Amino acid sequence: MGEGEYLFSSIIISGTTNVNKFIIKYRGDVFTPFSVNNTEEDSLILLIPVDKFTAESKLMLSDFLKLINASEYPYIQIIIKDKLNKEFFNISTESKKEILVGVNGITNSYFCNSKLQESYQNKWYFSGELKIKLSDFNIIPPEKFFGLIKVKDAVSISFKILFVMEN
C-alpha cells in the first residue's frame, strides 16, 4: 500500500438567513493522486476549486464566490490532520478528527465527528460535518435589501471523500 487517489464525492455548504436556507454544492469529477506511507507526514491537503461549486440560484452562487474572495483565493483547502498510512485505512471507524479549513486566505482548525467506511475492496468513504463561522475567516455575514435579509454567521460543511488505494 503506497499510492492512492481521492475524489470528492460531495461537499455541501449550507447556511441560513433570517428568511430561508441556502446550499452550495461541489461534486468532484477527477481523481487526484496521493501517497500513503509510514513517514512522519501527518496530513493530506485537499483542494476544492471554488469555480466548480453549484447552487440553485446563480445570484446566490455569485454572492457566495464574492463573499469568500474567490478571485483571489480560487480554492478552499480541506486538510486532514492524520497520518494516512496503512493503519488509517485498516479498519472502518468513527472518530473525532482534526480538520483544517482554508478559506479567504485564512486556515482554522476544527474537530469533527468523522467516519471511515470501506465500501468495496481498497475503496473507502471518509465523511464528516464541520460547523464553522464566517467570522472565523474575516468574512462579515452579508445583509441584502437594506438589512431585510441577513446571513447568519454559522455555516455547516459536510463532506464525503472517496479514497481508492492500490494494492
Side-chain angles (χ1 to χ4, degrees):
M1 178 179 262
E3 299 296 318
E5 298 176 312
Y6 71 87
L7 173 76
F8 281 103
S9 181
S10 69
I11 299 283
I12 299 172
I13 300 172
S14 58
T16 57
T17 71
N18 58 325
V19 176
N20 60 10
K21 293 186 344 178
F22 64 88
I23 295 175
I24 311 287
K25 296 179 182 181
Y26 171 74
R27 186 181 213 43
D29 56 5
V30 176
F31 277 92
T32 303
F34 72 98
S35 293
V36 174
N37 51 44
N38 290 312
T39 67
E40 290 304 310
E41 180 111 7
D42 64 350
S43 62
L44 177 64
I45 299 172
L46 311 172
L47 299 176
I48 305 164
V50 296
D51 63 347
K52 302 287 185 187
F53 276 98
T54 61
E56 289 181 6
S57 161
K58 288 186 180 193
L59 180 60
M60 180 183 10
L61 181 59
S62 175
D63 286 349
F64 171 74
L65 294 176
K66 286 178 194 169
L67 187 69
I68 64 170
N69 203 4
S71 60
E72 190 171 343
Y73 303 102
Y75 295 94
I76 292 177
Q77 285 187 334
I78 303 286
I79 303 170
I80 302 170
K81 292 292 291 178
D82 203 340
K83 291 182 181 177
L84 293 178
N85 54 25
K86 287 196 309 190
E87 288 75 33
F88 183 89
F89 293 102
N90 200 18
I91 56 170
S92 295
T93 182
E94 288 187 44
S95 62
K96 201 169 221 33
K97 295 275 187 214
E98 182 179 10
I99 306 288
L100 291 117
V101 178
V103 176
N104 195 31
I106 298 170
T107 301
N108 291 308
S109 176
Y110 300 91
F111 286 90
C112 76
N113 292 325
S114 62
K115 186 175 185 176
L116 181 70
Q117 185 173 19
E118 188 169 12
S119 66
Y120 190 70
Q121 186 176 11
N122 296 326
K123 294 179 182 173
W124 287 264
Y125 278 106
F126 179 66
S127 59
E129 185 172 355
L130 302 167
K131 304 288 186 193
I132 67 169
K133 291 184 176 183
L134 295 172
S135 57
D136 291 345
F137 299 94
N138 289 342
I139 297 171
I140 298 169
E143 296 180 2
K144 294 284 187 179
F145 305 111
F146 305 104
L148 292 175
I149 300 175
K150 298 176 183 180
V151 174
K152 296 190 178 174
D153 195 22
V155 175
S156 173
I157 301 174
S158 62
F159 59 89
K160 191 171 188 179
I161 305 165
L162 173 62
F163 287 99
V164 179
M165 305 304 300
E166 293 179 6
N167 284 331

